[in-house]
Amino acid sequence: MSRLKRSPAPVAIVLAAAVGVGGWLGVIRAADETEASVRRVDGVEEVLTPDRDGPTQNFLLVGSDTREENLDAAEGTSRRSDTIMILRREKGGGAALLSIPRDLWVEFPDGDFGKINGAYNQGPDVLAKTVTDSLGIPVHHYVEIDFNGFQRLVDAIGGVEICVMLASKDDNTGLDLQPGCQNLNGKNALKYARSRYFEEFRDGDWRIDPRADLGRIERQQHFIREAV
């Protein structure tokens, strides 16, 4: 795995679509400062869709757990992607974001079947080709960012305000939210975005969100909407 050279612009373009125009300068600074946390893997270029200048561009965004310490002890410590998204960008300025559940059952390029997160475990090039071949979504660009990069990007835009109706927590990530609105810095935003064992204090008892990864996807989408 090789590091990106000092050219954060593609990362800034992708993330600016998620955080909105107001966070543009902060994202550029954060991408510049956290380039060591944004990774490019040899071989990915060979499987990307070649039309890089067309009217529509798809960015495969992957949030990876590459730290030695692991916030989510219940999920083990193997290399994996915590988040897989497709950002569709139109030249006219429009954008749409699609979250892909990491447990989605797909066909791999070698003909085997498994969870799409298993494709990432075989390599980002396999993941990109799986998204293109199995889901029919051309991938023009690949961006991967680790936990530290995510935290710095959130801090660069001044945090993100999240409002919850009930006290909420996740003992695995360390998330602890009180009812009402609070501005999450990078560290707490990561706890929120990674939460799969999300609980709310309802009717005198803690109740876990039974949707697991689907619930996490909903919270990640909510986080992005609040960041815009």
Side-chain angles (χ1 to χ4, degrees):
M1 180 175 291
S2 61
R3 301 285 188 176
L4 276 176
K5 295 181 180 179
R6 191 173 182 80
S7 56
V11 181
I13 290 172
V14 173
L15 294 171
V19 302
V21 177
W24 173 256
L25 293 178
V27 168
I28 291 178
R29 288 196 300 270
D32 188 44
E33 294 169 359
T34 62
E35 59 180 303
S37 298
V38 181
R39 304 171 183 270
R40 173 174 56 82
V41 178
D42 294 335
V44 173
E45 293 288 332
E46 300 173 3
V47 301
L48 296 180
T49 301
D51 184 12
R52 306 292 183 85
D53 298 317
T56 300
Q57 297 289 299
N58 292 329
F59 294 79
L60 177 55
L61 311 180
V62 177
S64 65
D65 180 355
T66 57
R67 308 174 314 163
E68 292 182 1
E69 70 271 19
N70 188 351
L71 283 175
D72 199 341
E75 293 184 4
T77 57
S78 62
R79 179 179 181 271
R80 64 188 181 277
S81 60
D82 267 21
T83 301
I84 304 173
M85 294 182 176
I86 297 291
L87 174 67
R88 182 181 179 88
R89 290 271 294 168
E90 305 288 345
K91 268 197 172 179
L97 194 64
L98 171 69
S99 295
I100 301 176
R102 65 181 192 170
D103 291 339
L104 182 67
W105 198 258
V106 295
E107 182 178 2
F108 299 146
D110 62 4
D112 287 341
F113 289 82
K115 297 177 181 180
I116 195 167
N117 198 42
Y120 174 78
N121 290 338
Q122 297 179 48
D125 56 329
V126 177
L127 174 61
K129 188 166 177 55
T130 298
V131 170
T132 298
D133 294 348
S134 188
L135 302 183
I137 302 174
V139 176
H140 304 94
H141 309 274
Y142 178 90
V143 176
E144 182 176 324
I145 189 166
D146 66 15
F147 289 172
N148 291 328
F150 175 84
Q151 292 181 73
R152 292 177 184 176
L153 285 167
V154 172
D155 287 337
I157 61 173
V160 175
E161 185 177 68
I162 294 295
C163 301
V164 294
M165 296 292 294
L166 303 170
S168 307
K169 70 173 184 175
D170 185 326
D171 292 335
N172 292 281
T173 67
L175 179 69
D176 183 11
L177 300 178
Q178 298 303 311
C181 298
Q182 43 245 287
N183 187 276
L184 302 186
N185 61 16
K187 182 177 181 179
N188 289 323
L190 182 63
K191 294 176 181 179
Y192 179 81
R194 295 199 65 230
S195 174
R196 288 189 78 202
Y197 306 96
F198 188 83
E199 297 181 67
E200 293 179 321
F201 193 73
R202 187 188 301 271
D203 299 328
D205 196 12
W206 286 103
R207 301 178 185 273
I208 194 167
D209 183 352
R211 298 170 299 166
D213 198 42
L214 294 179
R216 172 161 66 176
I217 285 175
E218 180 180 287
R219 286 185 291 277
Q220 289 173 347
Q221 294 280 5
H222 174 68
F223 179 87
I224 291 173
R225 287 195 300 271
E226 293 302 310
V228 171

